[in-house]
Amino acid sequence: MDTGRPALPAGVTDWTIAAGVTALLLGTGLSGPHPDGGRELLGAALLAAGGMVLAARRRAPLVVLAVTGLCAAGHQAAGFELLAVSYLVAVYGAVRAGHRTAALAASAVLLAVLHLVALVTREGPARDVVTQARSTLEIAWLIAAFAAGEAVRQAERRAEEAERTREKTARRRADEERLRIARELHDSLTHQISVVKVQSEVAVHVARRRGERVPEALLAIQEAAREASRELRATLEALRDDDTTPPYGLDHIPHLVKRFRTTGLEATLTIEGHPRAVPAAVGRTAYRIVQESLTNAARHASATTASVVIDHRPDALAVRVDDDGRTSPDTVPAPGIGLLGMRERVTALGGRLHTGPRGTGGFTVRAELPTNGAS
């Protein structure tokens, strides 16, 4: 939850912690029993170095772990008997960064080194020497550092997972909103445009039957209504394309071609190669290419015949649609929404698309869709 308090940059926080630990170590070490002379300077330097190196614990947690461990062994050898706070902070940082095994191994080595250093540099019974060594790195504090680092690491992982879940939820809600918009567009616009389209076509038909001159404005309304209806369908298909319903594919192309025959277009379908299953995205794209090509041939090119060829190749599916419309070799086709949509679908699959006038008249659409050897 945002409390409204500005968060400090990570670098500032790290330097603040490093300075605080350094001050704590120097204050505790110099205020308690400690050696004099050169050993005092050496021990103080090691205490300061162990504390200040913590500023780099986020960037290089293992390096900081090693340096603080060496400093702990060094200031103990110099005669400073105090808890290695800097090493405990380094253990916390390493475990938080995911280096649990390295932190465990380093701690085991350091414990052994501290006991060895104490036996070499201290005088007295071995039991007392070992007890003094334990004061430099208490097992309980070491376990607490491990536990704290692991707890924070798990909390951060849960936060990241929650963030990913929020993103998925946002995408799902966006898809739901797209569907809602599509339904509202369908309910509010499709009916009205259909009424305009039907009324204009009836008016044109009646005027022609009476032998009257059809006003240019009425013809413009008729054509605009047809184009608006087609573009609205394309928009609704894009909004609804969320894979929540079974997609159209290769199996639906024969029925599609048969449906266009009922509109007066002599459409034929030829299957070449060895038919086999293809990825759903490839089948869906092939269906949309055939659908858009036949729609353009029937409604805009005044074609009377069209041929659809589906060629199953070893590593690709080739789709070709030719018509005998009024397009001539010199015609420059306008890049309408349908052609742009086809190109986007084919490009998304890594395929190739060619559209343009035929040398003998009419229009051709050729697409090659990779199937990656699907069988």
Side-chain angles (χ1 to χ4, degrees):
M1 180 183 297
D2 186 5
T3 60
R5 293 176 296 181
L8 291 175
V12 175
T13 302
D14 291 343
W15 278 105
T16 302
I17 292 175
V21 172
T22 301
L24 175 64
L25 290 173
L26 289 174
T28 304
L30 295 176
S31 63
H34 62 277
D36 299 326
R39 295 178 63 191
E40 179 184 17
L41 293 177
L42 176 61
L46 290 173
L47 290 174
M52 295 308 296
V53 77
L54 293 175
R57 64 188 176 87
R58 294 180 193 266
R59 298 187 299 274
L62 294 182
V63 173
V64 172
L65 186 70
V67 172
T68 54
L70 292 173
C71 289
H75 73 66
Q76 186 202 40
F80 282 82
E81 300 289 347
L82 71 160
L83 183 65
V85 178
S86 59
Y87 182 78
L88 295 176
V89 176
V91 167
Y92 162 82
V95 174
R96 180 180 177 180
H99 304 292
R100 291 175 295 181
T101 302
L104 183 62
S107 299
V109 171
L110 180 60
L111 285 172
V113 169
L114 290 176
H115 284 80
L116 181 61
V117 169
L119 291 173
V120 171
T121 60
R122 298 289 187 274
E123 297 179 354
R127 170 179 266 178
D128 295 340
V129 170
V130 170
T131 301
Q132 291 177 350
R134 288 176 181 172
S135 65
T136 304
L137 190 63
E138 290 283 355
I139 299 296
W141 283 106
L142 189 59
I143 293 175
F146 265 90
E150 182 64 17
V152 173
R153 189 179 76 88
Q154 293 294 340
E156 290 174 344
R157 289 184 59 184
R158 287 193 295 270
E160 292 175 359
E161 182 64 27
E163 183 64 24
R164 287 194 294 268
T165 302
R166 282 194 294 269
E167 292 176 357
K168 291 179 181 178
T169 302
R171 286 196 295 268
R172 188 188 74 250
R173 289 177 178 174
D175 291 338
E176 293 173 352
E177 182 65 11
R178 282 168 23 127
L179 290 176
R180 186 188 66 80
I181 293 172
R183 295 188 187 100
E184 290 185 358
L185 283 174
H186 180 273
D187 295 340
S188 62
L189 296 180
T190 304
H191 175 70
Q192 301 299 331
I193 292 176
S194 298
V195 171
V196 173
K197 179 174 174 288
V198 171
Q199 293 292 344
S200 61
E201 289 176 347
V202 169
V204 170
H205 177 71
V206 171
R208 286 173 175 169
R209 286 195 61 181
R210 293 177 178 177
E212 300 174 355
R213 179 177 175 276
V214 180
E216 291 296 329
L218 187 56
L219 291 174
I221 292 174
Q222 181 188 37
E223 183 61 26
R226 288 176 176 174
E227 184 66 17
S229 180
R230 189 184 72 82
E231 293 186 3
L232 181 59
R233 280 197 302 272
T235 302
L236 293 178
E237 288 175 359
L239 287 171
R240 287 170 172 160
D241 189 12
D242 62 344
D243 294 332
T244 59
T245 57
Y248 289 105
L250 291 181
D251 295 340
H252 299 87
I253 291 180
H255 177 71
L256 176 66
V257 173
K258 182 179 179 181
R259 191 172 73 227
F260 271 93
R261 292 197 192 108
T262 63
T263 66
L265 180 67
E266 291 296 329
T268 61
L269 174 63
T270 303
I271 307 294
E272 298 180 352
H274 299 285
R276 63 186 185 280
V278 299
V282 173
R284 183 164 58 246
T285 299
Y287 179 89
R288 294 304 184 193
I289 289 173
V290 174
Q291 182 187 46
E292 185 63 32
S293 300
L294 294 180
T295 299
N296 290 338
R299 296 185 180 180
H300 304 293
S302 300
T304 58
T305 64
S307 63
V308 179
V309 179
I310 306 294
D311 184 11
H312 290 267
R313 299 175 183 175
D315 57 352
L317 180 73
V319 181
R320 177 168 183 156
V321 182
D322 297 325
D323 65 60
D324 64 349
R326 59 182 177 220
T327 305
S328 64
D330 299 330
T331 303
V332 179
I337 295 177
L339 293 179
L340 291 176
M342 278 194 288
R343 190 168 301 280
E344 289 174 356
R345 287 177 179 270
V346 172
T347 302
L349 295 176
R352 293 179 295 178
L353 177 71
H354 169 75
T355 61
R358 300 168 60 199
T360 57
F363 199 78
T364 184
V365 176
R366 297 195 304 271
E368 186 173 325
L369 310 174
T371 58
N372 299 322
S375 58

